Amino acid sequence: MPYFDAASSAPLHPVARQALLAALDEGWADPARLYREGRRARLLLDAAREAAAEAVGCRPDELTFTPSGTRALHDGIAGALAGRRRAGRHLVVSAVEHSAVLHAAAAHQAGGGTVAEVPVDGAGRVAPGAYAAALRDAPGPTALACLQSANHEVGTRQPVAEAAQECRAADVPLLVDAAQSLAWGAVAGDWSLLTASAHKWGGPPGVGLLAVRKGVRFAAHGPADERESGRAPGFENIPAVVAAAASLRAVREEAAAEAERLRELVDRIRTRVPRLIPDVEVVGDPERRLPHLVTFSCLYVDGETLLHELDRAGFSVSSGSSCTSSTLTPSHVLRAMGVLSEGNVRVSLPLGTREEDVERFLALLPDLVSRVRGQLGAPRSEEAAAAGSAGGGEEAELVVDSLGKLCPIPVIELAKVIGEVPVGGLVTVLADDEAARLDIPAWCAMRGHEYVGERPADRGTAYRVRRRS
């Protein structure tokens, strides 16, 4: 069964498995003890730290192993904010950071701090100078800025080196979430703190990395502990740490060749899916992106149903669609980008993905999307095109009540009735599904109609669309 969700968690690398088993026998003792078993465990821990630090691009004594990537982010943000409390209580993050960063920002704000989100463009990338502007416009002195190296949902790489330079000029440390990119190479730029998670590159789950460069003011969160420089309390999981470092070194050795091979496979998906399936939007930067990840959204498609269909066909993929989330709200990444969210599919290929599996995915996908659209009663592409080209020129308005209906039903109902008003006429869609705020404007852009705007309604929101020829 092809597994196409490496961005969530990569399969355990063979080197990680070998290292883990070996370290279970040799690294079980307390590395703080002076007897031979403790010394042996200390040697394994020190060697793993040196290997990981080399891959990160920092000194071994700047790197801490944490119980997870999320813990590394939370501790890194909390420690940097606490260490620079006298400098200020303002935090700057991008609008597309991992939810772990946004949760930490919310906690900081709840504790009396201030937070600013840097917007992104339609490809999910922050603009040059955006961090300099955010720091300049801050309500007070900024304690910390955060920027991911590459986005976990759409694969867009961020201009970390430029942002780090802007932060350095303002004397503000930059924390980089490198969870998605570290397998492909070190993060460039003069960053101050960096985090990563081993299960993203094929290491075991339960190991995170936190690098804090010398000179960065940092105060560990919570009670002090003598282990890991006081930054990660508790007994080190040496077998998992050894496996994480060994697998990181192994994937780095394969990175150049695999990046080239996987980029070609992803390019096939990016190019052929819009040709094979009508009304599909491929999202994310087409060039400045991770080599193994592609995201696309399918109009008139229930994302959860499509993922179930793909699973039954033998493919494991992920989604940022609100139809597949427990909160029934679109992914904050897609929302920040302002792109179509319904029927969203994220394909992230693990190392060693076979060409024939990608070809089979491309062969099966059009029928699966057509089947889901048919189940929902969505208009066929040629019907939608015909509806958008007929009609007169007088003003008219039609109201569609989609209250209580979830994505993609409001958009489907809009598509079915747009032909009932003349060119220049208006359709108002009443909807209380948050996804409609993204998907109706995206539908207008894809079908050539004008999105007039939104206004509050008695229940939900009224979205107004003008029919254009």
Side-chain angles (χ1 to χ4, degrees):
M1 179 173 177
Y3 177 79
F4 287 177
D5 195 22
S8 291
S9 188
L12 192 67
H13 195 282
V15 168
R17 183 183 301 277
Q18 296 167 5
L20 180 64
L21 293 175
L24 285 171
D25 291 332
E26 298 293 330
W28 50 268
D30 188 343
R33 303 305 174 207
L34 298 179
Y35 41 72
R36 64 178 178 274
E37 293 88 355
R39 295 196 305 271
R40 187 183 303 133
R42 170 57 62 182
L43 287 172
L44 288 173
L45 182 59
D46 289 346
R49 197 184 311 277
E50 290 178 7
E54 181 182 3
V56 168
C58 67
R59 293 168 34 163
D61 60 349
E62 295 174 329
L63 188 136
T64 299
F65 293 109
T66 67
S68 69
T70 295
R71 175 53 59 190
L73 281 169
H74 287 175
D75 288 352
I77 293 171
L81 289 172
R84 285 176 49 83
R85 188 179 181 90
R86 292 183 180 179
R89 300 210 62 201
H90 188 62
L91 172 65
V92 174
V93 301
S94 86
V96 293
E97 295 298 308
H98 191 276
S99 59
V101 173
L102 300 185
H103 292 158
H108 174 64
Q109 197 165 24
T114 57
V115 177
E117 285 192 1
V118 177
V120 297
D121 60 19
R125 200 167 191 266
V126 300
Y131 270 68
L135 297 175
R136 185 177 60 249
D137 299 338
T142 301
L144 178 68
C146 301
L147 179 64
Q148 59 191 192
S149 55
N151 187 258
H152 50 292
E153 289 194 27
V154 300
T156 298
R157 288 186 179 271
Q158 299 292 357
V160 171
E162 294 88 338
Q165 187 175 8
E166 294 167 15
C167 290
R168 181 67 65 181
D171 195 26
V172 174
L174 177 70
L175 182 149
V176 177
D177 172 12
Q180 291 296 334
S181 73
L182 194 59
W184 306 105
V187 177
D190 194 13
W191 48 264
S192 300
L193 303 96
L194 181 142
T195 66
S197 186
H199 74 101
K200 301 293 187 181
W201 66 69
V207 179
L209 304 181
L210 170 60
V212 182
R213 288 246 166 95
K214 294 295 181 184
V216 176
R217 296 187 64 85
F218 190 93
H221 184 66
D225 192 283
E226 66 274 11
R227 297 179 186 274
E228 292 298 306
S229 303
R231 293 175 183 163
F235 196 90
E236 297 94 342
N237 186 348
I238 294 177
V241 163
V242 169
S247 57
L248 180 55
R249 175 178 285 178
V251 299
R252 279 290 188 82
E253 292 173 353
E254 305 166 8
E258 275 295 276
E260 182 178 357
R261 194 179 70 84
L262 294 180
R263 182 175 288 274
E264 193 278 328
L265 294 178
V266 164
D267 282 343
R268 291 191 202 183
I269 299 173
R270 292 185 65 90
T271 302
R272 288 169 57 183
V273 165
R275 294 177 182 172
L276 293 168
I277 306 170
D279 299 321
V280 165
E281 182 179 18
V282 180
V283 300
D285 196 297
E287 298 297 331
R288 294 169 294 193
R289 58 179 173 82
L290 294 171
H292 69 304
L293 194 155
V294 56
T295 299
F296 54 89
S297 298
C298 306
L299 200 60
Y300 313 133
V301 168
D302 176 352
E304 184 174 6
T305 302
L306 180 56
L307 262 59
H308 284 316
E309 291 289 342
L310 285 166
D311 181 53
R312 280 194 283 268
F315 291 93
S316 302
V317 300
S318 186
S319 173
S321 171
S322 62
C323 309
T324 63
S325 74
S326 59
T327 61
L328 295 179
T329 58
S331 147
H332 70 276
V333 173
L334 301 179
R335 186 170 63 245
M337 294 167 62
V339 297
L340 182 69
S341 71
E342 65 188 47
N344 180 262
V345 175
R346 181 185 70 180
V347 174
S348 48
L349 307 178
L351 302 179
T353 296
R354 301 184 306 172
E355 178 182 3
E356 52 265 36
D357 288 336
V358 172
E359 287 295 330
R360 189 162 71 88
F361 174 80
L362 290 169
L364 289 171
L365 187 65
D367 286 341
L368 298 182
V369 171
S370 178
R371 184 187 309 169
V372 173
R373 284 173 171 168
Q375 292 171 358
L376 295 171
R380 292 176 298 178
S381 182
E382 57 270 21
E383 291 174 349
S389 60
E394 68 271 19
E395 181 80 12
E397 184 168 1
L398 181 66
V399 177
V400 176
D401 187 350
S402 290
L403 293 168
K405 299 176 182 178
L406 303 179
C407 75
I409 300 302
V411 178
I412 290 176
E413 293 184 341
L414 168 62
K416 286 181 175 180
V417 304
I418 192 71
E420 297 179 16
V421 298
V423 174
L426 291 167
V427 175
T428 296
V429 181
L430 303 177
D432 50 9
D433 180 11
E434 184 65 25
R437 183 164 280 110
L438 283 179
D439 295 343
I440 290 177
W443 178 86
C444 291
M446 296 172 74
R447 306 307 306 170
H449 299 295
E450 178 189 354
Y451 179 63
V452 178
E454 64 178 72
R455 54 181 169 80
D458 291 339
R459 290 190 299 130
T461 304
Y463 300 94
R464 307 185 77 208
V465 175
R466 188 180 302 279
R467 182 182 173 189
R468 296 297 189 193
S469 60

